[in-house]
């Protein structure tokens, strides 16, 4: 990721309208900003959320609240709790998320 041509700024995430993204179960609420080719999101997963797809996009993701379960296509599984993060490159390893207890995430991709 190359960050360029973005002046200093702040974001009050609570003031941004959320878009709803249904999962197989539950929903994700995204508050999103775009800075050139970089997308930055505050995402809230409802309790019981299960993603409706395998994602192959790269992310840097920080768990702020709750618990995020991530399964990789090869069967490996990870659980993130507040203060934990993961990073994965575009096309590197397909992953699918769920949040049995709900979760709040900060994601850059």
């Amino acid at each position: 990721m190359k960050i360029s041509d973005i002046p200093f700024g702040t974001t009050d995430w609570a003031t941004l309208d959320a878009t709803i993204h249904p999962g197989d179960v539950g929903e994700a609420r995204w508050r999103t900003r775009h800075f050139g080719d970089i997308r930055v999101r505050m995402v809230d997963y409802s309790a019981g959320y299960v993603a409706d797809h395998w994602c192959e996009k790269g992310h840097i993701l920080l768990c702020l609240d709750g618990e995020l379960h991530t399964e990789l296509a090869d069967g490996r599984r990870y659980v993130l709790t507040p203060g934990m993060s993961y990073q994965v490159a575009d096309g590197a390893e397909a992953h699918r998320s769920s949040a049995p207890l709900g979760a709040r995430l900060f994601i850059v991709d």
Side-chain angles (χ1 to χ4, degrees), residues 66-79:
E67 190 174 274
L68 178 70
H69 293 223
T70 302
E71 176 183 7
L72 302 185
D74 67 8
R76 288 179 290 161
R77 296 174 183 269
Y78 299 90
V79 176

Side-chain angles (χ1 to χ4, degrees), residues 53-105:
H53 66 284
W54 287 90
C55 182
E56 294 191 23
K57 182 155 181 59
H59 315 284
I60 298 172
L61 180 151
L62 172 65
C63 181
L64 299 173
D65 192 32
E67 190 174 274
L68 178 70
H69 293 223
T70 302
E71 176 183 7
L72 302 185
D74 67 8
R76 288 179 290 161
R77 296 174 183 269
Y78 299 90
V79 176
L80 272 61
T81 56
M84 295 178 71
S85 65
Y86 77 65
Q87 54 286 325
V88 62
D90 288 334
E93 295 173 283
H95 48 283
R96 184 174 181 200
S97 295
S98 62
L101 307 174
R104 174 168 282 177
L105 312 170

Side-chain angles (χ1 to χ4, degrees), residues 18-39:
T19 57
I20 308 298
H21 301 264
D24 277 346
V25 177
E27 66 183 24
R29 293 178 172 263
W30 297 10
R31 289 177 172 81
T32 306
R33 297 277 320 264
H34 289 92
F35 303 97
D37 292 337
I38 299 170
R39 178 175 67 174

